[in-house]
Amino acid sequence: MDRRPAPDPWADLRAHTAARIALGRAGAALPTHELLRFGLAHAQARDAVHVRLDPAALAARLQSLGCATQVVRSAAADRATYLLRPDLGRRLDADDAQRLGQAAAPGGCDLLLVVADGLSSLAVERNAMPLVQAIRAQAPAGWTLGPVVVATQARVALGDEIGALLGARMAAVLIGERPGLCAPDGLGIYLTWQPRVGCHDAQRNCISNVRPEGLPASAAAARLWWLCREARRLGLTGVGLKDRSDAATLDAPATPGAAP
């Protein structure tokens, strides 16, 4: 008589997701190894929020790609203030605002990239460089890019003030997303047409979960440029601009000689 345990019907599903499913139990509690995994994930999420980004080091790495850079900070003086006062994370430090205004190039730029720590410095450390590199590599002919602005203690709306000061027609804020227990390093992209102080979230398009295990940098860059082209055509971003980049890829003509 075969006394081997029946195969776990959840095993195949667990192989395809990082979500915590079918964890099992030990009596009325979780198994010890699952409890330890949860504790580790929780600690990694907390670290992602609290660990400080080194803006000078990031700016130096961006300069190695050929990017001009500016380093700024928000009006939140430290991390504790940033977490307690979201409003301060949406406005520039007064001295940095003055300096950026003086650095604006005549004519501005078509797209300004703002790399912001947000709620996960880990996301920026791991994913900002390959994403900026992919965005620059896929830039359409004739589009001008401004300097890459590295911002600390930053919320998404900080890009509005930065973009306005530097005369950007569009601003893309590459920001660390709120970490989850499965993904403490997700990077988000928030695109805003004609950024200015007072813009609200309905005026933005978001590309989320940019990381190797989520949306790869090259795919995120392609989606961003699709949105940029449509934003220029329509003169807006946000709820009036629907992301149909996947459909555009499917509808593209086949490469000559490619298999049907």
Side-chain angles (χ1 to χ4, degrees):
M1 186 181 201
D2 189 353
R3 296 183 179 277
R4 289 177 296 179
D8 182 356
W10 290 91
D12 184 58
L13 286 176
R14 280 200 300 267
H16 295 285
T17 179
R20 285 177 165 76
I21 60 172
L23 302 182
R25 62 192 176 98
L30 285 172
T32 300
H33 67 277
E34 290 295 347
L35 190 62
L36 293 173
R37 286 182 63 239
F38 179 88
L40 174 61
H42 188 260
Q44 290 173 330
R46 287 178 61 88
D47 285 349
V49 171
H50 290 284
V51 171
R52 178 180 176 274
L53 178 70
D54 186 340
L58 178 58
R61 295 200 300 273
L62 289 166
Q63 289 164 11
S64 72
L65 298 178
C67 303
T69 62
Q70 293 279 354
V71 175
V72 300
R73 60 192 183 280
S74 76
D78 51 46
R79 199 64 178 169
T81 304
Y82 168 79
L83 294 173
L84 292 171
R85 292 284 306 274
D87 57 312
L88 295 180
R90 299 184 182 111
R91 294 303 304 266
L92 276 169
D93 170 83
D95 292 340
D96 285 346
Q98 182 179 8
R99 178 169 55 83
L100 272 191
Q102 295 169 348
C109 61
D110 292 314
L111 178 65
L112 180 74
L113 301 180
V114 179
V115 179
D117 54 0
L119 288 170
S120 176
S121 60
L122 181 64
V124 175
E125 287 286 353
R126 290 182 176 176
N127 302 309
M129 285 287 291
L131 180 56
V132 170
Q133 193 167 16
I135 292 170
R136 286 168 54 86
Q138 296 182 34
W143 284 66
T144 57
L145 290 169
V148 179
V149 179
V150 178
T152 56
Q153 316 294 15
R155 302 280 175 172
V156 170
L158 192 69
D160 299 335
E161 186 174 4
I162 294 171
L165 287 169
L166 292 178
R169 285 168 279 286
M170 278 178 272
V173 179
L174 285 50
I175 191 167
E177 296 178 315
R178 180 179 289 107
L181 294 176
C182 295
D185 61 346
L187 196 69
I189 308 172
Y190 290 82
L191 179 67
T192 307
W193 171 259
Q194 292 185 344
R196 61 198 179 280
V197 174
C199 285
H200 49 78
D201 288 343
Q203 296 170 273
R204 315 186 200 282
N205 287 87
C206 176
I207 302 169
S208 186
N209 197 32
V210 181
R211 61 191 189 104
E213 300 84 358
L215 184 66
S218 59
R223 183 166 294 183
L224 174 64
W225 281 119
W226 187 92
L227 288 169
C228 286
R229 292 187 185 95
E230 287 296 292
R232 174 186 275 184
R233 182 176 70 85
L234 297 172
L236 55 81
T237 49
V239 295
L241 172 56
K242 306 304 180 185
D243 182 357
R244 297 189 176 91
S245 55
D246 290 339
T249 300
L250 291 172
D251 293 341
T255 304

